[in-house]
Amino acid sequence: MSSSKKIILSIAVPIPLNRVFDYLPPDNYTPEHLQPGVRVKIPFGKNTKTGVLLAIKPDSTIDTSKLKKAESILDTYPLLSSKDLLYWAQTYYHHPIGDVFLSAFPIALRKGKSSKLKVPHYYKLTGTGKDINEQALKNAPKQLALLNLLQTQQQAISSQEIANYFKLWRAPLKALIDKKYVTQTSTDHIQPAIITRQPALQANPEQLTAIDSVCTQLDKFSVHLLEGVTGSGKTEVYLQIIHQVLTNGLQVLVLLPEITLTPQLEARFRQRFAVAIETYHSQHNETQRLTAWVNMQQGNSAILLGTRSALLTPLPRPGLIILDEEHDSSFKQQEGFRFSARDIAIVRAKMLDIR
């Protein structure tokens, strides 16, 4: 008890007040878990809230006998490893610090849910599945589509990855397993050695100029505007730039202006790249967004496609940020924490010394 009185937790709480709140550590906490960037469950008024630990200090301006104890530390390690960007956004946009910090989390984490993901099942073709004649599944198009997907994989594929391709996948998968074409495996998911599934298209002189101008500056902060009419090949330009970034072992964040554009671009990315790709937007449910966020935050996935809500997703190996149609008004958040995704993206890249 005496040691607890010497430790004060400075916590950001998502309320419309631009201040932090001091708390005492919870009972029976693990000292190693008490690090800035972890989430903390706290009593607040008549309710409980999820806040973010910003600092640990030896004293408080409030009498420690009047301070409440936090209820629990929700994480075993900091989910937000770098907080400079959030401090900058809070100051620049004059918005309450608790709202800004909690906006970096998906809804599930804001509600205090666990950041630990369920271990996914992995599936691969059996010897029979590899040699099957497609005519055998001509009357089962969903099974055939799933079989074709597995045939394009270099390794076992997780149920989460299958769900990215097909909405109704469980029944076709079960049928393929029953027919001994597919088997479940406990093999851990390992990033494939190859980066691309398909070769890049032949770039024209204008595209080559744009690609070279960016790729020659991949080792430092820079901002580039790629301008061209619809159908001029802008997407191919940044696909080839992304390939170079992935070759360097870094992650890529691609922000899109509209949810409706995401499936179209996602399909093109999955056709081109063999790395793990995540999508993040409001049409996903809480579990899907949590999975995408944690996989990027832990470095399990290499590419994140999302709308402006994906902007603050932590990346342990950041290499490139792209805003597709950066002039689109949907990149400006108009409710709650109001911000320009383009401006924050530029500041984030500068702080990280990336493109």
Side-chain angles (χ1 to χ4, degrees), residues 31 46 117 133 162 182 216 227 231 270 277 304 317 330:
K46 297 180 179 180
L117 301 179
N133 188 323
I162 294 175
V182 174
T216 55
E227 186 176 8
R270 292 191 186 280
I277 299 173
L304 177 61
R317 305 186 311 278
S330 66

Side-chain angles (χ1 to χ4, degrees), residues 275-294:
V275 299
I277 299 173
E278 303 291 343
T279 58
Y280 189 102
H281 52 73
S282 60
Q283 291 301 302
H284 282 335
N285 60 38
E286 289 184 11
T287 301
Q288 289 172 316
R289 278 180 276 177
L290 173 63
T291 299
W293 193 94
V294 172

Side-chain angles (χ1 to χ4, degrees), residues 66-85:
K66 297 180 180 180
L67 294 179
K68 295 181 178 179
K69 287 186 178 181
E71 293 186 7
S72 61
I73 308 298
L74 298 177
D75 305 306
T76 58
Y77 66 95
L79 297 184
L80 299 177
S81 56
S82 177
K83 301 176 286 298
D84 292 345
L85 179 66

Side-chain angles (χ1 to χ4, degrees), residues 206-207 210-211 226 233-242:
E206 290 79 10
Q207 289 175 315
I211 294 169
L226 183 62
K234 298 187 296 296
T235 302
E236 181 61 30
V237 169
Y238 64 70
L239 284 175
Q240 295 195 27
I241 296 170
I242 288 172

Side-chain angles (χ1 to χ4, degrees), residues 256-267 305 324-325 328:
L256 310 170
E258 298 176 14
I259 294 173
T260 53
L261 294 178
T262 305
Q264 176 185 356
L265 192 62
E266 178 186 359
L305 305 176
D324 191 29
E325 306 290 345
D328 195 282

Side-chain angles (χ1 to χ4, degrees), residues 280-323:
Y280 189 102
H281 52 73
S282 60
Q283 291 301 302
H284 282 335
N285 60 38
E286 289 184 11
T287 301
Q288 289 172 316
R289 278 180 276 177
L290 173 63
T291 299
W293 193 94
V294 172
N295 278 333
M296 294 302 297
Q297 188 260 354
Q298 294 183 351
N300 298 330
S301 297
I303 299 175
L304 177 61
L305 305 176
T307 50
R308 65 172 183 267
S309 59
L311 173 62
L312 299 175
T313 304
L315 306 173
R317 305 186 311 278
L320 181 69
I321 301 175
I322 294 174
L323 273 73

